[in-house]
Structure formats: C-alpha cells, structure tokens
C-alpha cells in the first residue's frame, strides 16, 4: 500500500510534539518499562495521524494498549534490527481497525482469513483492515466490515466504542523470521440492534479475504480466552460444545457446516504457520469484550 495513503502511528510523551513511530520501536515499551506488556494510553486521529500519548488531547480516548509477551519487536536484538531491509525499517507503524460486532442477542462475529493471504493466513480474527487517509476509526471499521463480510449497518441502529489497542507484529514469533509488518490494531466494539439471524441474511463474505465466518456466544468466547491464559490445556474443557456452526466459502458459494470447537482453542503454533487458530490479539479483545458485558450487568 502506498505510504501516502496509510495512516501511521505518532507518539507523544510528557506533552512532546507527536513524532512518527519507527518500525523497530516498541509502542507498548515506549509508554511502559521493558517488562510491561500492558499500559494505559490516550489515542485518537488528528490530521491523518493516529496519535498515542500518555496525556489526554482533543477528542482522545483512554484505553489499554497491550503487546504479546513474545512480541518480536520487543525481543528484537540490535544485530537483527540492523539486518532488516531498508524498505522495512522505513515503513513506520501502520494502524488497523478490527470490529468486535456484537448482535442484539449477544453473539459476536469472527472471520477466518483466507489461506492465500500473505499475512496471518487461516487465522480467526474480527473483520478489519487498514485505516485510510481522511477516515475516522468508525468509518474505517464500517467500511472494512462491509468489504469483508457484505454487512452494512444502518445509521441509528448501532452504538460503538473503542475497547483497546493491540501491538501486532508479523511474523508473530522471531523463530519464524524477522518482522515484516508492524501495526497497532484498534478494536472497535460495535453493538448492533439486530440479532445474528437478521445479520446472517445479509452476510456475503469476500472469498479473497475471508474463508469462513462464525457467530460465537459469550460461553464459547470465555473458553477461547481461557485457552490463551492456559496454553497447556489438555483434553476438552468442561461444557465445550463439540462443534460450532459456521459458514465456509467454497468457489463463491456459502456452505453451512460444523467446525470442531477445538479449532478455536488452539494457541499460536510454533512451526505450522498455516495452522488454524484465533490470533492472540483477538483473544485480548475478546477478554475486553467479556469485561464490558460484566460491567453492563453490574450497572
């Protein structure tokens, strides 16, 4: 994608002027210690810059920012950083948006990325993509939702908020190679007034990007989040359904099928790069979503 058309991350600390983040710079580490993997920050778009700051600023939102414990940028050594091609080192840090779409009956939509994609193939994630110039976060989220799934939400029939930020790097492990992509993903929680049955009628995924879709309830989401906290789970967790109803794309047609629920519980694979799993950032966002449900029950 042309750099001129991308929104990049800019950083500000202690009221300094926002500076464009460097590709090899850990965004989370900039606002915390080397050991901290989660910090609170303020973020927002200003003049086609996605600004992250330790201070509040006009139209900013205060949210958590997190990175994976094994984040490649965090663990990148000096010699490895120096060996990165100049076109990679000069990219800056991109900004993406991912939509946690919650239905009226409290289900959320996950999509499986196409096997042909160069970045995170076969990985289960929310619909999303890059924020383009002159777009706001919600605009980009709704555009990506429509492009990837065919779903166009009606004005006045949904509400939204930012759940949190995730520092995403590809490949996700240094054992798979040096970083080629560095993003900050904005997780936008959009609450639709329609049930998943109604939305399903308008579902029309783009097969070049999405190979499958599934609506998950909070009980399955809890199991997915648990799998992230307990990577050494053995056997099937109690109360896990044997299968999850899903739609798979097959030569332009949507095929209803059941997928083993265990596919959603896989942790980041060490060797099989094309293995099916729910991304670590997605699991983080799902935990934030569960926290939101819990807060709403208490309010």
């Amino acid at each position: 994608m042309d750099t001129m058309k991308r929104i990049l991350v800019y950083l500000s600390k202690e009221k300094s002027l926002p500076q464009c983040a460097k590709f090899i710079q850990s965004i989370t580490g900039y606002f915390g210690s080397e050991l901290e993997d989660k910090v609170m920050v303020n973020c927002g778009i200003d003049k086609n810059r996605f600004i992250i700051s330790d201070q509040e600023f006009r139209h900013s939102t205060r949210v958590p920012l997190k990175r994976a414990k094994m984040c490649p940028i965090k663990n990148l050594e000096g010699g490895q950083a120096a060996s990165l091609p100049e076109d990679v080192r000069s990219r800056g840090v991109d900004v993406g948006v991912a939509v946690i779409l919650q239905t009226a009956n409290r289900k959320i939509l996950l999509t499986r990325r196409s096997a042909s994609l160069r970045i995170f193939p076969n990985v289960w994630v929310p619909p999303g993509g890059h924020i383009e110039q002159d777009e706001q976060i919600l605009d980009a989220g709704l555009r990506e939702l429509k492009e990837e799934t065919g779903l166009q939400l009606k004005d006045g029939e949904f509400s939204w908020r930012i759940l949190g930020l995730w520092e995403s790097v590809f490949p996700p492990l240094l054992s798979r190679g040096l970083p080629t992509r560095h993003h900050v993903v904005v997780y936008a929680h959009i609450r639709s007034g329609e049930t998943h049955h109604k939305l399903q009628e308008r579902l029309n995924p783009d097969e070049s990007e999405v190979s499958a879709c599934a609506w998950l309830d909070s009980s399955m989401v809890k199991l997915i989040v648990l799998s992230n906290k307990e990577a050494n789970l053995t056997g099937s967790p109690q109360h896990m359904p044997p299968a999850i109803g899903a739609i798979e794309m097959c030569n332009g047609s949507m095929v209803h099928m059941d997928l083993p629920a265990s596919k959603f519980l896989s942790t980041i694979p060490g060797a099989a790069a094309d293995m099916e799993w729910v991304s670590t950032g997605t699991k983080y966002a799902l935990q934030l979503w569960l926290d939101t449900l819990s807060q709403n029950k208490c309010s």
Side-chain angles (χ1 to χ4, degrees):
M1 181 180 292
D2 189 339
T3 303
M4 295 300 293
K5 295 182 179 179
R6 293 184 289 126
I7 296 290
L8 297 177
V9 173
Y10 281 71
L11 306 178
S12 172
K13 189 161 63 174
E14 299 175 352
K15 299 183 180 180
S16 64
L17 292 175
Q19 299 292 320
C20 189
K22 299 178 182 178
F23 182 87
I24 60 173
Q25 181 176 17
S26 172
I27 308 304
T28 310
Y30 181 75
F31 293 102
S33 69
E34 291 184 3
L35 299 179
E36 285 182 287
D37 292 323
K38 185 177 181 180
V39 293
M40 293 299 297
V41 296
N42 303 280
C43 69
I45 294 179
D46 178 60
K47 298 177 181 177
N48 281 320
R49 303 171 301 173
F50 185 77
I51 298 175
I52 303 178
S53 174
D54 60 348
Q55 307 287 321
E56 291 185 9
F57 57 92
R58 187 169 179 263
H59 300 315
S60 67
T61 303
R62 187 163 179 81
V63 292
L65 162 66
K66 190 174 182 180
R67 65 184 175 187
K69 182 178 180 180
M70 299 303 294
C71 174
I73 295 294
K74 168 188 173 183
N75 294 288
L76 199 65
E77 297 179 355
Q80 293 172 315
S83 68
L84 289 171
E86 179 57 31
D87 63 327
V88 172
R89 290 173 58 90
S90 62
R91 280 185 58 88
V93 180
D94 294 307
V95 185
V97 59
V99 175
I100 302 293
L101 177 60
Q102 176 185 328
T103 68
N105 54 335
R106 290 195 172 185
K107 288 182 180 284
I108 62 160
L109 177 66
L110 287 190
T111 61
R112 188 179 66 200
R113 288 171 58 83
S114 170
S116 63
L117 293 174
R118 291 182 300 171
I119 301 175
F120 294 111
N122 290 321
V123 175
W124 285 92
V125 295
H130 283 94
I131 299 177
E132 299 179 355
Q133 282 204 347
D134 300 322
E135 281 188 321
Q136 293 299 312
I137 294 168
L138 178 60
D139 298 330
L142 293 176
R143 174 183 54 76
E144 289 288 349
L145 179 67
K146 184 176 185 296
E147 289 176 358
E148 293 191 359
T149 71
L151 292 177
Q152 185 168 8
L153 303 184
K154 302 172 183 176
D155 291 341
E157 295 190 6
F158 66 87
S159 60
W160 84 287
R161 60 177 291 221
I162 299 176
L163 281 177
L165 309 179
W166 175 258
E167 187 170 2
S168 174
V169 180
F170 184 85
L173 297 172
L174 279 174
S175 59
R176 293 210 199 143
L178 295 178
T180 59
R181 293 290 188 273
H182 189 185
H183 291 76
V184 167
V185 180
V186 183
Y187 285 102
H189 177 204
I190 296 182
R191 296 195 299 177
S192 171
E194 298 180 275
T195 67
H196 79 283
H197 300 291
K198 286 290 186 181
L199 292 171
Q200 179 84 2
E201 295 173 358
R202 305 200 302 273
L203 199 64
N204 184 27
D206 177 357
E207 194 169 354
S208 67
E209 297 195 52
V210 174
S211 62
C213 299
W215 298 98
L216 305 179
D217 60 23
S218 60
S219 61
M220 187 62 203
V221 169
K222 289 177 183 177
L223 291 176
I224 293 173
V225 170
L226 179 64
S227 72
N228 195 45
K229 296 178 179 178
E230 301 182 16
N232 295 320
L233 282 174
T234 57
S236 298
Q238 191 176 12
H239 308 308
M240 183 180 78
I244 298 295
I247 290 176
E248 279 202 327
M249 299 304 297
C250 183
N251 297 323
S253 299
M254 294 188 294
V255 179
H256 292 262
M257 65 176 303
D258 290 332
L259 292 176
S262 58
K263 285 187 176 292
F264 294 90
L265 305 186
S266 299
T267 57
I268 182 172
D274 60 347
M275 178 179 169
E276 211 171 310
W277 56 291
V278 177
S279 79
T280 309
T282 298
K283 292 179 180 181
Y284 160 66
L286 294 179
Q287 177 64 72
L288 294 177
W289 178 67
L290 290 175
D291 293 343
T292 296
L293 291 185
S294 179
Q295 292 167 6
N296 289 340
K297 287 181 180 179
C298 296
S299 60

